[in-house]
Amino acid sequence: MKILGLDSSGLVASVAVIEDDVLLAESTLDYKKTHSQTLLPMMDELRQRLDLDLNSLDAIAIASGPGSFTGLRIGAATAKGLGLALGKPLVEVPTLEGLAWNLWGSDRVVCPLMDARRNQVYTAAYEFVPVEESFRLCTILSQMPIDIGEMLEKLNELGRKVLFLGDGVPVYHSVIKERCKVPCAFAPAGSNRQRAASIAALGAVYFSLGRTVTAAEHKPEYLRKSQAEREAQLSETDKKNEN
């Protein structure tokens, strides 16, 4: 099974190719460039270095959201274009599940945090449950946009050790240290940001379970409305109130 993984849901742009249980190649960049400038060139470089025939892919795994609205659209357009051109299915991997997969096998509650601005984070809570010789990723708290303080209260109520990761950690590090009442730790560099290798690996799991969509069917999962949509809604509400 050969899977191409794409993730442009946050600050990181990442592309990877896995075949069965082997990571053939991965390219990840988190440095001051828009994903429209980086994602396709990174993918093309991997293709050339691997002498990869894109038709040999079984599926394309895409970080489906939540995340940056622009980043998700770029990733979706790239994955949909490839899927349509190649006639390959897409595997939608929720961004936060892909992040949690970076810490595969952890015995702690894994809590990805993505900065959603306005004192909010996109977040969820997961655990790895042993299954025979492997682990299954199970959801404790489903992904949601939420105030960081409210999320910490939920984690405190669980009463279990927590491992945090994601670009929301440096933004809210001091808040976490102050308000998290359960033992907590922070994932190190190399496993604390989005990685297409994890999207591809988890995508392979979901592909084997038949969890695919066509390229035409794929839509990013934003979880909340964009700033422009919120402002338009407020404007419409103001007009109704005036009338």
Side-chain angles (χ1 to χ4, degrees):
M1 183 191 306
K2 191 178 292 182
I3 305 289
L4 170 69
L6 303 172
D7 194 330
S8 58
S9 59
L11 300 175
V12 172
S14 188
V15 181
V17 179
I18 67 165
E19 186 170 10
D20 298 325
D21 292 327
V22 178
L23 173 62
L24 300 181
E26 181 180 28
S27 180
T28 299
L29 182 67
D30 182 6
Y31 187 74
K32 299 180 182 178
K33 289 190 177 180
T34 62
H35 299 325
S36 60
Q37 296 175 291
T38 57
L39 198 63
L40 280 173
M42 289 164 63
M43 185 183 69
D44 191 52
E45 182 180 5
L46 256 64
R47 180 190 62 80
Q48 293 181 51
R49 288 183 178 275
L50 292 172
D51 293 323
L52 176 66
D53 178 2
L54 293 177
N55 286 296
S56 69
L57 295 171
D58 290 288
I60 300 158
I62 177 70
S64 59
S68 156
F69 284 76
T70 300
L72 289 174
R73 287 173 183 140
I74 291 170
T78 303
K80 286 166 75 73
L82 286 170
L84 287 168
L86 300 170
K88 302 295 181 180
L90 270 56
V91 183
E92 297 174 324
V93 179
T95 304
L96 297 168
E97 291 184 17
L99 265 169
W101 200 255
N102 290 358
L103 304 177
W104 186 89
S106 173
D107 61 355
R108 293 190 174 213
V109 172
V110 177
C111 181
L113 296 174
M114 295 180 68
D115 183 21
R117 314 232 176 181
R118 306 168 72 90
N119 208 45
Q120 284 198 327
V121 289
Y122 295 122
T123 187
Y126 303 99
E127 63 181 342
F128 287 93
V129 177
V131 179
E132 297 179 352
E133 296 179 355
S134 186
F135 291 92
R136 178 184 297 126
L137 180 66
C138 296
T139 301
I140 301 173
L141 297 172
S142 298
Q143 57 183 20
M144 62 190 132
I146 191 173
D147 179 270
I148 182 62
E150 291 181 39
M151 185 59 182
L152 291 172
E153 289 177 8
K154 291 179 181 292
L155 293 172
N156 289 337
E157 289 173 2
L158 291 176
R160 297 172 56 184
K161 296 178 181 179
V162 182
L163 187 52
F164 292 100
L165 74 161
D167 61 38
V169 169
V171 178
Y172 297 106
H173 189 274
S174 60
V175 177
I176 295 169
K177 293 293 288 183
E178 178 184 348
R179 300 177 63 176
C180 188
K181 305 305 180 184
V182 294
C184 66
F186 304 92
S191 58
N192 63 6
R193 293 292 188 276
Q194 285 93 330
R195 290 189 59 183
S198 290
I199 295 297
L202 186 52
V205 174
Y206 292 160
F207 178 79
S208 67
L209 296 173
R211 291 174 52 178
T212 65
V213 297
T214 66
E217 290 171 330
H218 171 61
K219 294 180 180 179
E221 186 174 5
Y222 298 116
L223 286 190
R224 70 178 190 185
K225 295 179 180 178
S226 69
Q227 180 68 25
E229 289 173 317
R230 291 195 299 270
E231 290 177 354
Q233 189 175 40
L234 286 173
S235 177
E236 187 64 30
T237 300
D238 290 341
K239 288 179 181 179
K240 290 180 179 179
N241 290 337
E242 288 176 0
N243 296 330

